[in-house]
Amino acid sequence: MQILALLRIISILVGIVGFTFSIPLAVALFYSETQVISSFLIPMIASILFMLAVNIPLRKKKIHLNMRMTFVIVASCWVFASLLGAIPLYFSGAIPNFVDALFESVSGFSTTGATILSQVENLPRSINLWRCQTHWLGGMGIVTLTVALLPLLGVGGFQLIKAETTGPEKGKVTARITTTAKVLWLIYLFFTILQTVLLMCFGMDFVDALSHAFATLGTGGFSTMNSSIGSYNSVAIEVICTIFMFLSGINFSLFYYAIIRQFTDIRKNSELKAYLGIVIFLLISVTLCIIPVYKNFGTALRYSSFQIIALLTTTGFGTADYTLWPQAAQFLLFLTFFIGGCSGSTGGGIKVIRWVILFKQSNNEVEKMLHPQGIFTVRLNDNVGHKSVVFNVASFMIVYFVLIMITTFIGCAGNLDLFSSFTGALSMVGNVGPAFGQLGPTCNYGFLPDFVKLWYCFAMLAGRLEIYTMIIFFLPAFWKK
């Protein structure tokens, strides 16, 4: 029964992802990109038929999931979605090497935004749209989308979403998990439509505007232009993207609280306060550091704000080569690789809330030294937090940095220099996209050996799924009954 549940859910997800091929397919038909039409049409039809062939015979069987099967399903869904996403890239000839196509697809779905391409403007418009669309699908979560569209998962749906969403504490926004998933996706869709319209108002055509809205709201960073957002040289477009990147780095549950006018929960949110504080600190500091470069406060603010938000939220868009900025500014940007967005956002990284918890616990340890008989707790959102959350965060940080060390070694084995390999590892596991050195904002990942790209695929998926969902398969205890 568990195998049937696995097959059924994977087939549903494959069918949903395959159906979304209809969007780039429509663009390919509109622009007469005949060479790529079959690359979208055939896998779309095949995936939908596969879903129907599996689900029609099993439609009356209820799905019941245990915890072990939950991890298997979520990991499998992301692997199969990435493989499916690579098919149009490979068979269209846009990326003739399948490992490269898989890397690009994984980078898209994981919202990393690292690319092996150097000339994206030469690609068919439908292919570029699909690249950005993978960000949008992966940003809010492909399993969350499946739960939102199909309530058949019942209680098991909450376990699936917990295994996919980010942050140390995960709960429901509404009483029903399917309603929660729908609410989050509707907010996500609204922001996407709004940004698309705004970008069109300031010069982008519909396909480019939609592509960049997909990449922004998914905090991915793929662009239809070789020089990313900087190609447009438009203050208005940069401001729009900066605002929506900033919003995408916030826990989407808070937007729901704003809609139902539950402002107290927003005001008390510890993570949001820290997120705003980090942004303000970095904004002031980096702007002051790069004023000598741009000779003007306004221009320095323009470039610093965009790059700070792009890296902090792990979007990875670029308007300037920050590796040419003063070392102090580069160091401050380097710190963003260790932070990331908020839990429950589409941003990657360690997450702001984990640093909040660690700093609060560190303060408690100092207080205990001064007052040994005192009782101190970590308070989150003006409530006393569970001690287990501190242990959860500590263990996560250990596993996170162990994976970074391993990924750094793999990069060095692929002939990257140490600094490039280390920042590349931070970028892959944190789903940032650009790094420093050989993997800087003006470079790409195409020159890396295939074994490095394949490991980076694993690292990107592990980072997107909060590490444990991917590495749990390597633990002997997972396979014991």
Side-chain angles (χ1 to χ4, degrees), residues 137-302:
L137 292 171
M140 186 57 67
I142 50 179
V143 175
T144 304
L145 176 60
T146 303
V147 173
L149 295 177
L150 296 166
L152 58 86
L153 297 178
V155 177
F158 183 51
Q159 299 300 325
L160 291 172
I161 289 180
K162 283 180 66 177
E164 181 183 60
T165 52
T166 59
E169 291 188 305
K170 302 162 187 180
K172 302 176 184 178
V173 177
T174 63
R176 292 174 58 85
I177 189 60
T178 53
T179 305
T180 296
K182 288 175 183 176
V183 165
L184 296 178
W185 265 95
L186 285 173
I187 295 171
Y188 193 48
L189 180 62
F190 170 75
F191 280 155
T192 305
I193 294 171
L194 179 59
Q195 187 185 359
T196 301
V197 171
L198 290 174
L199 290 175
M200 290 177 67
C201 289
F202 289 96
M204 284 193 188
D205 65 24
F206 173 71
V207 175
D208 277 355
L210 182 62
S211 297
H212 286 96
F214 281 160
T216 303
L217 269 301
T219 60
F222 281 158
S223 174
T224 60
M225 308 298 287
N226 292 334
S227 299
S228 191
I229 300 297
S231 297
Y232 295 95
N233 194 28
S234 168
V235 175
I237 288 175
E238 291 170 22
V239 169
I240 292 168
C241 289
T242 300
I243 291 172
F244 281 94
M245 284 190 293
F246 174 80
L247 293 175
S248 299
I250 296 174
N251 190 326
F252 271 70
S253 299
L254 299 184
F255 299 125
Y256 174 71
Y257 294 145
I259 292 171
I260 63 174
R261 305 178 67 83
Q262 204 167 319
F263 297 113
T264 302
D265 287 330
I266 299 174
R267 180 178 55 80
K268 291 181 178 179
N269 191 271
S270 303
E271 185 177 34
L272 180 62
K273 294 175 185 177
Y275 179 66
L276 293 173
I278 292 168
V279 169
I280 293 170
F281 168 74
L282 290 174
L283 190 61
I284 295 172
S285 302
V286 175
T287 300
L288 292 176
C289 288
I290 66 173
I291 285 178
V293 176
Y294 294 102
K295 312 299 182 184
N296 179 281
F297 177 80
T299 305
L301 179 63
R302 168 188 172 183

Side-chain angles (χ1 to χ4, degrees), residues 47 96 98 114 266 270 285 311 341 358 361 364 419 439 447 469 472 477:
S47 60
F98 186 75
I266 299 174
S270 303
S285 302
L311 292 179
L358 287 180
Q361 181 61 27
N364 285 347
F419 185 60
L439 303 175
F447 67 94
T469 302
I472 198 169

